[in-house]
Amino acid sequence: MDAVRLILTSRRALLGGADAAEMLAEVWQAQALAQAIGSRLAVSGPPELRGEALGLTELAGRGCGVLDPPELDPKDLRAAQLTALDDARETLLCLGSLLGEVGMALVGMASAAADETTYWQCMEAIDAADESRDRVLEMLRKLAAREEMLPGNGSESSPSGAL
């Protein structure tokens, strides 16, 4: 399935989460999906994104690692359903939004946590989601810089400082 469709499915599921356990499962799913997308970009994405994509893979993996893994049937694991990443820019835009929503959901769960363990899991997961989102934003900046350098995009203007 295409990355953007999986991200949109995760966003809907995150918004529809009913209780803390379900929300934490959706957060885990979103982080696992970010990890899979990072891995895919690191292997077959634009060369200038590969370092940041590896970092995203690592950070999103940390986000999964701090949470208890949900009991999922393997067919329900969204990250395993990733088969296509057609448009890196669109994927990264959607993933950045998902990671922002993950962070907001985690803040809500942390503030309502009934126990210290859940609170600290949420805090660690917030850090991972925030750092993952920073990697996504950096990849978007690199893609924008790449597009500016392509012929026909106005990059043939006079050298800076010339009148």
Side-chain angles (χ1 to χ4, degrees), residues 95-124:
L95 184 58
S97 294
L98 173 62
L99 290 169
E101 291 168 2
V102 162
M104 289 187 287
L106 285 164
V107 167
M109 285 187 284
S111 55
D115 61 271
E116 223 175 288
T117 301
T118 303
Y119 173 81
W120 285 112
Q121 280 183 326
C122 289
M123 296 308 289
E124 290 291 325

Side-chain angles (χ1 to χ4, degrees), residues 83-150:
T83 58
L85 201 153
D86 295 331
D87 182 346
R89 183 179 179 281
E90 181 67 20
T91 298
L92 291 170
L93 285 169
C94 291
L95 184 58
S97 294
L98 173 62
L99 290 169
E101 291 168 2
V102 162
M104 289 187 287
L106 285 164
V107 167
M109 285 187 284
S111 55
D115 61 271
E116 223 175 288
T117 301
T118 303
Y119 173 81
W120 285 112
Q121 280 183 326
C122 289
M123 296 308 289
E124 290 291 325
I126 289 167
D127 286 344
D130 187 47
E131 290 178 36
S132 294
R133 188 165 183 266
D134 287 346
R135 292 292 173 127
V136 168
L137 294 174
E138 182 60 28
M139 285 189 277
L140 284 167
R141 281 190 282 279
K142 287 183 177 188
L143 279 178
R146 174 182 172 218
E147 290 173 9
E148 287 177 12
M149 298 304 291
L150 294 175

Side-chain angles (χ1 to χ4, degrees), residues 32-52:
L33 183 56
Q35 184 179 27
I37 290 169
S39 181
R40 178 71 60 101
L41 285 170
V43 171
S44 60
E48 57 270 87
L49 301 185
R50 292 187 180 159
E52 296 295 332

